[in-house]
Amino acid sequence: MPRTTQLRTYTVKDGLLDEWVERWRDDIVPLRLDLGFEIGGAWVDRERNQFVWLISYEGPETFAERNAMYWASPEREAMGLDPDDYLVHTEDRTVEQRY
């Protein structure tokens, strides 16, 4: 399958931005990497209370299929992490790298 990259922008509940970043870094990133995803970077926009990151996948499944594997995995369930506890709004955009 061709490489797919998503630009993800999350608006985080007031007062939880740093906690969200810590949970993302400590829990989400290792599992995503174990499942073959690549993280192209992550940024915090404190003025907007947003967390922005790039995630890519290139492998035998589509991005959507591999993403479904992530959400269905026992490791993801064991995190005890419900995004709704932290996030007010999410926006995922599939983007194509040009540079």
Side-chain angles (χ1 to χ4, degrees):
M1 288 282 132
R3 179 181 186 81
T4 300
T5 300
Q6 287 187 350
L7 173 66
R8 295 182 169 192
T9 303
Y10 299 164
T11 303
V12 182
K13 292 179 181 180
D14 287 340
L16 296 179
L17 186 57
D18 290 326
E19 184 178 335
W20 167 257
V21 171
E22 185 176 322
R23 293 291 311 265
W24 176 85
R25 184 187 59 234
D26 295 346
D27 297 332
I28 294 171
V29 170
L31 180 55
R32 287 286 189 179
L33 295 175
D34 285 349
L35 290 174
F37 290 93
E38 296 177 26
I39 308 299
W43 301 266
V44 170
D45 179 344
R46 291 195 185 279
E47 186 175 318
R48 292 177 180 84
N49 214 41
Q50 289 184 329
F51 177 73
V52 180
W53 61 301
L54 285 172
I55 181 171
S56 301
Y57 176 73
E58 181 177 14
E61 299 88 16
T62 66
F63 186 99
E65 290 168 337
R66 185 59 87 158
N67 196 53
M69 289 173 62
Y70 163 80
W71 283 102
S73 71
E75 296 88 352
R76 179 62 184 87
E77 186 174 336
M79 282 181 205
L81 174 60
D82 182 350
D84 290 340
D85 291 342
Y86 292 92
L87 307 180
V88 176
H89 177 74
T90 64
E91 179 183 359
D92 301 341
R93 292 186 281 165
T94 300
V95 295
E96 297 177 9
Q97 186 172 4
R98 291 294 181 235
Y99 176 78

